[in-house]
Amino acid sequence: MKKKMVTALLAVSMLAGLSAVNVMAADDDTITVGFSQVGAESDWRTANTESMKSTFSEDNGYELIFDDAQQKQENQLTAIRNFIQQEVDYIVLAPVTETGWDTVLQEAKDAGIPVIIVDRMVDVSDDSLYTAWVGSNFKLEGQKAMAWLDAYLEAKGRGDEEINLVDIQGTIGASAQIGRTEGLEEAAKENGWNIVDQQTGEFTQAKGQEVMESMLKKHDNINVVYCENDNEAFGAIDAIEAAGKKVGPDGDILVMSFDTTNAGLTDTLSGKIICNTECNPLHGPRVQEIIEKLEAGEDVDKIAYVDEEMFAFDDTVKTVTVGDKDFDVTAISQEIIDGRAY
Ligand code: AHR
């Protein structure tokens, strides 16, 4: 609860002739959360923002101070310092990139404000600078996608074909980029696939399209496009089609993606995206659970990975194996898309 707000409420209540005790009791229950969001670069991000806003609502007993950093770390640093000044109860940070957080998180720690990291990770020298993290295993997402490609090519009798991949990467230095790129690079090496180009599409549709256009001009042998999120895939598909090429199982190029948003899965249903690996954005209730446990004085997991699914155009590949774990692949249907929340 912010001290300044209590003072203001007390002043207003006294003027209105209300009992100061009642006001204190009501306000005491409100938990103030400062949330520094990356931006609004993708459909995934929009769903994530919506999940946080609907969870940390007044009705649920929260005051949410939301800040959109427009994909810039300096804006996130300013937002966190503002949250500290405002004496919020909790800081929630969805970091744009992994590095560069030590100083500001030390400031939050010195102010006694717990920090919960959500979605992407931070790379800090001292992990006591944050209380808990919840998000995706981005490398595993990349490994699952690549295991799918391997199994699909084998099943289609294309196991010996020359595979020329391009990688439209996410924001460089973001965990989602680092993990998905690593998953791709390791599998390409293992399977003898060529990565003919890699450039960032910054997780946006516009940049995904621009990058794909330039890659198509440079290379005439691309047969797989690995997009590190759905919005980049939408842009890449537009660029490929505009260049007179066909995407899909019977086309020239297979497009792969991550996120499994409604629009992404709709393109998976048509085969334009051949395989789509889930990255779940519905973190609001997960962060709320952490805060509730902390409020009750209970221990919380330092690191919590979310379970995620995989969807493909058809049922050619039913499961993939990464390490010693099997993961189901679901052939997408309109019914599945209609039943999903994002
Ligand atoms: O960090 C999660 C990634 O960020 C999602 O894949 C992407 O769509 C978002 O912008």
Side-chain angles (χ1 to χ4, degrees), residues 250-278:
D250 308 315
D252 313 291
I253 295 178
L254 298 175
V255 176
M256 306 187 69
S257 183
F258 297 88
D259 284 358
T260 67
T261 56
N262 263 281
L265 287 177
T266 301
D267 274 359
T268 310
L269 189 62
S270 71
K272 288 189 175 194
I273 293 174
I274 197 77
C275 172
N276 204 329
T277 303
E278 185 181 28

PDB file of all heavy atoms in Angstrom, residues 250-278:
ATOM      1  N   ASP A 250       2.632 -28.327 -49.747  1.00  0.00           N
ATOM      2  CA  ASP A 250       2.864 -28.614 -51.177  1.00  0.00           C
ATOM      3  C   ASP A 250       3.545 -27.452 -51.883  1.00  0.00           C
ATOM      4  O   ASP A 250       3.568 -27.393 -53.118  1.00  0.00           O
ATOM      5  CB  ASP A 250       1.520 -28.913 -51.875  1.00  0.00           C
ATOM      6  CG  ASP A 250       0.741 -29.988 -51.143  1.00  0.00           C
ATOM      7  OD1 ASP A 250       1.368 -31.002 -50.770  1.00  0.00           O
ATOM      8  OD2 ASP A 250      -0.473 -29.784 -50.918  1.00  0.00           O
ATOM      9  N   GLY A 251       4.061 -26.519 -51.098  1.00  0.00           N
ATOM     10  CA  GLY A 251       4.651 -25.322 -51.707  1.00  0.00           C
ATOM     11  C   GLY A 251       6.163 -25.382 -51.779  1.00  0.00           C
ATOM     12  O   GLY A 251       6.782 -26.442 -51.683  1.00  0.00           O
ATOM     13  N   ASP A 252       6.755 -24.197 -51.932  1.00  0.00           N
ATOM     14  CA  ASP A 252       8.216 -24.103 -52.061  1.00  0.00           C
ATOM     15  C   ASP A 252       8.887 -24.004 -50.692  1.00  0.00           C
ATOM     16  O   ASP A 252      10.045 -24.368 -50.540  1.00  0.00           O
ATOM     17  CB  ASP A 252       8.589 -22.831 -52.848  1.00  0.00           C
ATOM     18  CG  ASP A 252       7.756 -22.665 -54.106  1.00  0.00           C
ATOM     19  OD1 ASP A 252       7.953 -23.473 -55.020  1.00  0.00           O
ATOM     20  OD2 ASP A 252       6.898 -21.749 -54.152  1.00  0.00           O
ATOM     21  N   ILE A 253       8.161 -23.420 -49.724  1.00  0.00           N
ATOM     22  CA  ILE A 253       8.791 -23.071 -48.440  1.00  0.00           C
ATOM     23  C   ILE A 253       7.895 -23.501 -47.276  1.00  0.00           C
ATOM     24  O   ILE A 253       6.679 -23.269 -47.286  1.00  0.00           O
ATOM     25  CB  ILE A 253       9.043 -21.532 -48.377  1.00  0.00           C
ATOM     26  CG1 ILE A 253      10.075 -21.118 -49.457  1.00  0.00           C
ATOM     27  CG2 ILE A 253       9.524 -21.102 -46.994  1.00  0.00           C
ATOM     28  CD1 ILE A 253      10.370 -19.630 -49.531  1.00  0.00           C
ATOM     29  N   LEU A 254       8.520 -24.126 -46.274  1.00  0.00           N
ATOM     30  CA  LEU A 254       7.816 -24.428 -45.019  1.00  0.00           C
ATOM     31  C   LEU A 254       8.092 -23.290 -44.041  1.00  0.00           C
ATOM     32  O   LEU A 254       9.256 -22.937 -43.815  1.00  0.00           O
ATOM     33  CB  LEU A 254       8.326 -25.735 -44.410  1.00  0.00           C
ATOM     34  CG  LEU A 254       8.134 -27.017 -45.235  1.00  0.00           C
ATOM     35  CD1 LEU A 254       8.817 -28.197 -44.521  1.00  0.00           C
ATOM     36  CD2 LEU A 254       6.646 -27.312 -45.437  1.00  0.00           C
ATOM     37  N   VAL A 255       7.033 -22.726 -43.464  1.00  0.00           N
ATOM     38  CA  VAL A 255       7.202 -21.648 -42.473  1.00  0.00           C
ATOM     39  C   VAL A 255       6.897 -22.228 -41.096  1.00  0.00           C
ATOM     40  O   VAL A 255       5.851 -22.852 -40.886  1.00  0.00           O
ATOM     41  CB  VAL A 255       6.259 -20.453 -42.772  1.00  0.00           C
ATOM     42  CG1 VAL A 255       6.373 -19.394 -41.677  1.00  0.00           C
ATOM     43  CG2 VAL A 255       6.590 -19.839 -44.131  1.00  0.00           C
ATOM     44  N   MET A 256       7.826 -22.021 -40.169  1.00  0.00           N
ATOM     45  CA  MET A 256       7.635 -22.489 -38.787  1.00  0.00           C
ATOM     46  C   MET A 256       7.522 -21.282 -37.867  1.00  0.00           C
ATOM     47  O   MET A 256       8.103 -20.228 -38.153  1.00  0.00           O
ATOM     48  CB  MET A 256       8.819 -23.345 -38.360  1.00  0.00           C
ATOM     49  CG  MET A 256       9.073 -24.486 -39.324  1.00  0.00           C
ATOM     50  SD  MET A 256      10.315 -25.610 -38.723  1.00  0.00           S
ATOM     51  CE  MET A 256       9.461 -26.362 -37.344  1.00  0.00           C
ATOM     52  N   SER A 257       6.790 -21.452 -36.760  1.00  0.00           N
ATOM     53  CA  SER A 257       6.597 -20.291 -35.884  1.00  0.00           C
ATOM     54  C   SER A 257       6.405 -20.704 -34.425  1.00  0.00           C
ATOM     55  O   SER A 257       6.312 -21.901 -34.107  1.00  0.00           O
ATOM     56  CB  SER A 257       5.376 -19.496 -36.371  1.00  0.00           C
ATOM     57  OG  SER A 257       5.197 -18.342 -35.591  1.00  0.00           O
ATOM     58  N   PHE A 258       6.337 -19.688 -33.575  1.00  0.00           N
ATOM     59  CA  PHE A 258       6.126 -19.847 -32.128  1.00  0.00           C
ATOM     60  C   PHE A 258       5.028 -18.887 -31.689  1.00  0.00           C
ATOM     61  O   PHE A 258       4.836 -17.830 -32.297  1.00  0.00           O
ATOM     62  CB  PHE A 258       7.410 -19.503 -31.354  1.00  0.00           C
ATOM     63  CG  PHE A 258       8.550 -20.417 -31.688  1.00  0.00           C
ATOM     64  CD1 PHE A 258       9.393 -20.136 -32.753  1.00  0.00           C
ATOM     65  CD2 PHE A 258       8.760 -21.577 -30.957  1.00  0.00           C
ATOM     66  CE1 PHE A 258      10.440 -20.984 -33.073  1.00  0.00           C
ATOM     67  CE2 PHE A 258       9.805 -22.434 -31.280  1.00  0.00           C
ATOM     68  CZ  PHE A 258      10.645 -22.131 -32.338  1.00  0.00           C
ATOM     69  N   ASP A 259       4.382 -19.209 -30.612  1.00  0.00           N
ATOM     70  CA  ASP A 259       3.360 -18.409 -29.908  1.00  0.00           C
ATOM     71  C   ASP A 259       2.001 -19.100 -29.878  1.00  0.00           C
ATOM     72  O   ASP A 259       1.345 -19.099 -28.872  1.00  0.00           O
ATOM     73  CB  ASP A 259       3.162 -16.979 -30.459  1.00  0.00           C
ATOM     74  CG  ASP A 259       4.257 -16.002 -30.053  1.00  0.00           C
ATOM     75  OD1 ASP A 259       5.166 -16.412 -29.295  1.00  0.00           O
ATOM     76  OD2 ASP A 259       4.220 -14.836 -30.496  1.00  0.00           O
ATOM     77  N   THR A 260       1.554 -19.624 -31.048  1.00  0.00           N
ATOM     78  CA  THR A 260       0.221 -20.245 -31.148  1.00  0.00           C
ATOM     79  C   THR A 260      -0.900 -19.294 -30.753  1.00  0.00           C
ATOM     80  O   THR A 260      -1.820 -19.650 -30.026  1.00  0.00           O
ATOM     81  CB  THR A 260       0.105 -21.567 -30.343  1.00  0.00           C
ATOM     82  OG1 THR A 260       0.209 -21.287 -28.931  1.00  0.00           O
ATOM     83  CG2 THR A 260       1.148 -22.578 -30.736  1.00  0.00           C
ATOM     84  N   THR A 261      -0.804 -18.055 -31.233  1.00  0.00           N
ATOM     85  CA  THR A 261      -1.925 -17.116 -31.073  1.00  0.00           C
ATOM     86  C   THR A 261      -3.069 -17.581 -31.978  1.00  0.00           C
ATOM     87  O   THR A 261      -2.855 -18.404 -32.885  1.00  0.00           O
ATOM     88  CB  THR A 261      -1.493 -15.714 -31.515  1.00  0.00           C
ATOM     89  OG1 THR A 261      -1.017 -15.795 -32.877  1.00  0.00           O
ATOM     90  CG2 THR A 261      -0.395 -15.163 -30.625  1.00  0.00           C
ATOM     91  N   ASN A 262      -4.243 -17.014 -31.781  1.00  0.00           N
ATOM     92  CA  ASN A 262      -5.385 -17.376 -32.625  1.00  0.00           C
ATOM     93  C   ASN A 262      -5.078 -17.198 -34.115  1.00  0.00           C
ATOM     94  O   ASN A 262      -5.346 -18.081 -34.922  1.00  0.00           O
ATOM     95  CB  ASN A 262      -6.593 -16.505 -32.256  1.00  0.00           C
ATOM     96  CG  ASN A 262      -7.500 -17.243 -31.300  1.00  0.00           C
ATOM     97  OD1 ASN A 262      -8.272 -18.082 -31.720  1.00  0.00           O
ATOM     98  ND2 ASN A 262      -7.380 -16.960 -30.024  1.00  0.00           N
ATOM     99  N   ALA A 263      -4.493 -16.051 -34.451  1.00  0.00           N
ATOM    100  CA  ALA A 263      -4.172 -15.797 -35.870  1.00  0.00           C
ATOM    101  C   ALA A 263      -3.071 -16.737 -36.354  1.00  0.00           C
ATOM    102  O   ALA A 263      -3.101 -17.204 -37.501  1.00  0.00           O
ATOM    103  CB  ALA A 263      -3.753 -14.343 -36.051  1.00  0.00           C
ATOM    104  N   GLY A 264      -2.122 -17.046 -35.483  1.00  0.00           N
ATOM    105  CA  GLY A 264      -1.036 -17.962 -35.857  1.00  0.00           C
ATOM    106  C   GLY A 264      -1.574 -19.363 -36.106  1.00  0.00           C
ATOM    107  O   GLY A 264      -1.193 -20.038 -37.071  1.00  0.00           O
ATOM    108  N   LEU A 265      -2.492 -19.801 -35.259  1.00  0.00           N
ATOM    109  CA  LEU A 265      -3.051 -21.148 -35.434  1.00  0.00           C
ATOM    110  C   LEU A 265      -4.004 -21.199 -36.629  1.00  0.00           C
ATOM    111  O   LEU A 265      -4.161 -22.255 -37.250  1.00  0.00           O
ATOM    112  CB  LEU A 265      -3.750 -21.597 -34.145  1.00  0.00           C
ATOM    113  CG  LEU A 265      -2.780 -21.964 -33.011  1.00  0.00           C
ATOM    114  CD1 LEU A 265      -3.542 -22.316 -31.744  1.00  0.00           C
ATOM    115  CD2 LEU A 265      -1.855 -23.125 -33.401  1.00  0.00           C
ATOM    116  N   THR A 266      -4.603 -20.071 -36.964  1.00  0.00           N
ATOM    117  CA  THR A 266      -5.450 -20.030 -38.164  1.00  0.00           C
ATOM    118  C   THR A 266      -4.572 -20.252 -39.401  1.00  0.00           C
ATOM    119  O   THR A 266      -4.944 -20.992 -40.321  1.00  0.00           O
ATOM    120  CB  THR A 266      -6.214 -18.686 -38.224  1.00  0.00           C
ATOM    121  OG1 THR A 266      -7.005 -18.582 -37.038  1.00  0.00           O
ATOM    122  CG2 THR A 266      -7.117 -18.598 -39.445  1.00  0.00           C
ATOM    123  N   ASP A 267      -3.388 -19.659 -39.396  1.00  0.00           N
ATOM    124  CA  ASP A 267      -2.443 -19.908 -40.505  1.00  0.00           C
ATOM    125  C   ASP A 267      -1.892 -21.332 -40.451  1.00  0.00           C
ATOM    126  O   ASP A 267      -1.477 -21.886 -41.471  1.00  0.00           O
ATOM    127  CB  ASP A 267      -1.276 -18.895 -40.444  1.00  0.00           C
ATOM    128  CG  ASP A 267      -1.617 -17.590 -41.173  1.00  0.00           C
ATOM    129  OD1 ASP A 267      -2.734 -17.490 -41.732  1.00  0.00           O
ATOM    130  OD2 ASP A 267      -0.776 -16.677 -41.178  1.00  0.00           O
ATOM    131  N   THR A 268      -1.861 -21.927 -39.270  1.00  0.00           N
ATOM    132  CA  THR A 268      -1.409 -23.329 -39.158  1.00  0.00           C
ATOM    133  C   THR A 268      -2.477 -24.251 -39.760  1.00  0.00           C
ATOM    134  O   THR A 268      -2.160 -25.234 -40.441  1.00  0.00           O
ATOM    135  CB  THR A 268      -1.133 -23.688 -37.677  1.00  0.00           C
ATOM    136  OG1 THR A 268      -0.295 -22.681 -37.106  1.00  0.00           O
ATOM    137  CG2 THR A 268      -0.447 -25.041 -37.548  1.00  0.00           C
ATOM    138  N   LEU A 269      -3.736 -23.902 -39.531  1.00  0.00           N
ATOM    139  CA  LEU A 269      -4.850 -24.697 -40.081  1.00  0.00           C
ATOM    140  C   LEU A 269      -4.795 -24.734 -41.614  1.00  0.00           C
ATOM    141  O   LEU A 269      -5.102 -25.744 -42.236  1.00  0.00           O
ATOM    142  CB  LEU A 269      -6.180 -24.102 -39.599  1.00  0.00           C
ATOM    143  CG  LEU A 269      -7.456 -24.877 -39.876  1.00  0.00           C
ATOM    144  CD1 LEU A 269      -7.437 -26.243 -39.190  1.00  0.00           C
ATOM    145  CD2 LEU A 269      -8.677 -24.076 -39.395  1.00  0.00           C
ATOM    146  N   SER A 270      -4.384 -23.632 -42.226  1.00  0.00           N
ATOM    147  CA  SER A 270      -4.312 -23.596 -43.693  1.00  0.00           C
ATOM    148  C   SER A 270      -2.986 -24.158 -44.205  1.00  0.00           C
ATOM    149  O   SER A 270      -2.806 -24.299 -45.415  1.00  0.00           O
ATOM    150  CB  SER A 270      -4.478 -22.154 -44.193  1.00  0.00           C
ATOM    151  OG  SER A 270      -3.316 -21.406 -43.857  1.00  0.00           O
ATOM    152  N   GLY A 271      -2.038 -24.419 -43.303  1.00  0.00           N
ATOM    153  CA  GLY A 271      -0.736 -24.948 -43.720  1.00  0.00           C
ATOM    154  C   GLY A 271       0.290 -23.861 -44.022  1.00  0.00           C
ATOM    155  O   GLY A 271       1.446 -24.152 -44.314  1.00  0.00           O
ATOM    156  N   LYS A 272      -0.163 -22.589 -43.970  1.00  0.00           N
ATOM    157  CA  LYS A 272       0.810 -21.511 -44.252  1.00  0.00           C
ATOM    158  C   LYS A 272       1.916 -21.534 -43.205  1.00  0.00           C
ATOM    159  O   LYS A 272       3.076 -21.248 -43.506  1.00  0.00           O
ATOM    160  CB  LYS A 272       0.106 -20.153 -44.257  1.00  0.00           C
ATOM    161  CG  LYS A 272      -0.781 -19.964 -45.466  1.00  0.00           C
ATOM    162  CD  LYS A 272      -1.292 -18.544 -45.575  1.00  0.00           C
ATOM    163  CE  LYS A 272      -2.087 -18.389 -46.874  1.00  0.00           C
ATOM    164  NZ  LYS A 272      -2.323 -16.993 -47.218  1.00  0.00           N
ATOM    165  N   ILE A 273       1.534 -21.794 -41.948  1.00  0.00           N
ATOM    166  CA  ILE A 273       2.530 -22.108 -40.911  1.00  0.00           C
ATOM    167  C   ILE A 273       2.416 -23.612 -40.700  1.00  0.00           C
ATOM    168  O   ILE A 273       1.360 -24.112 -40.327  1.00  0.00           O
ATOM    169  CB  ILE A 273       2.238 -21.346 -39.597  1.00  0.00           C
ATOM    170  CG1 ILE A 273       2.433 -19.832 -39.802  1.00  0.00           C
ATOM    171  CG2 ILE A 273       3.137 -21.857 -38.466  1.00  0.00           C
ATOM    172  CD1 ILE A 273       2.038 -18.970 -38.613  1.00  0.00           C
ATOM    173  N   ILE A 274       3.491 -24.322 -40.976  1.00  0.00           N
ATOM    174  CA  ILE A 274       3.387 -25.787 -40.976  1.00  0.00           C
ATOM    175  C   ILE A 274       3.396 -26.356 -39.554  1.00  0.00           C
ATOM    176  O   ILE A 274       2.753 -27.361 -39.268  1.00  0.00           O
ATOM    177  CB  ILE A 274       4.505 -26.410 -41.872  1.00  0.00           C
ATOM    178  CG1 ILE A 274       4.189 -27.849 -42.225  1.00  0.00           C
ATOM    179  CG2 ILE A 274       5.879 -26.276 -41.277  1.00  0.00           C
ATOM    180  CD1 ILE A 274       3.163 -28.034 -43.289  1.00  0.00           C
ATOM    181  N   CYS A 275       4.131 -25.681 -38.662  1.00  0.00           N
ATOM    182  CA  CYS A 275       4.210 -26.143 -37.269  1.00  0.00           C
ATOM    183  C   CYS A 275       4.325 -24.917 -36.374  1.00  0.00           C
ATOM    184  O   CYS A 275       5.085 -23.992 -36.677  1.00  0.00           O
ATOM    185  CB  CYS A 275       5.437 -27.038 -37.107  1.00  0.00           C
ATOM    186  SG  CYS A 275       5.789 -27.499 -35.401  1.00  0.00           S
ATOM    187  N   ASN A 276       3.551 -24.902 -35.287  1.00  0.00           N
ATOM    188  CA  ASN A 276       3.534 -23.727 -34.406  1.00  0.00           C
ATOM    189  C   ASN A 276       3.705 -24.220 -32.961  1.00  0.00           C
ATOM    190  O   ASN A 276       2.902 -25.008 -32.465  1.00  0.00           O
ATOM    191  CB  ASN A 276       2.208 -22.980 -34.581  1.00  0.00           C
ATOM    192  CG  ASN A 276       2.313 -21.511 -34.190  1.00  0.00           C
ATOM    193  OD1 ASN A 276       3.087 -21.168 -33.314  1.00  0.00           O
ATOM    194  ND2 ASN A 276       1.501 -20.679 -34.829  1.00  0.00           N
ATOM    195  N   THR A 277       4.748 -23.757 -32.305  1.00  0.00           N
ATOM    196  CA  THR A 277       5.083 -24.219 -30.953  1.00  0.00           C
ATOM    197  C   THR A 277       4.614 -23.186 -29.942  1.00  0.00           C
ATOM    198  O   THR A 277       4.924 -21.995 -30.070  1.00  0.00           O
ATOM    199  CB  THR A 277       6.609 -24.448 -30.849  1.00  0.00           C
ATOM    200  OG1 THR A 277       6.985 -25.380 -31.870  1.00  0.00           O
ATOM    201  CG2 THR A 277       6.998 -25.010 -29.494  1.00  0.00           C
ATOM    202  N   GLU A 278       3.888 -23.656 -28.954  1.00  0.00           N
ATOM    203  CA  GLU A 278       3.251 -22.718 -28.017  1.00  0.00           C
ATOM    204  C   GLU A 278       4.258 -21.961 -27.146  1.00  0.00           C
ATOM    205  O   GLU A 278       5.249 -22.523 -26.675  1.00  0.00           O
ATOM    206  CB  GLU A 278       2.289 -23.466 -27.086  1.00  0.00           C
ATOM    207  CG  GLU A 278       1.519 -22.515 -26.180  1.00  0.00           C
ATOM    208  CD  GLU A 278       0.558 -23.214 -25.223  1.00  0.00           C
ATOM    209  OE1 GLU A 278       0.817 -24.380 -24.846  1.00  0.00           O
ATOM    210  OE2 GLU A 278      -0.444 -22.599 -24.863  1.00  0.00           O
TER     211      GLU A 278
END
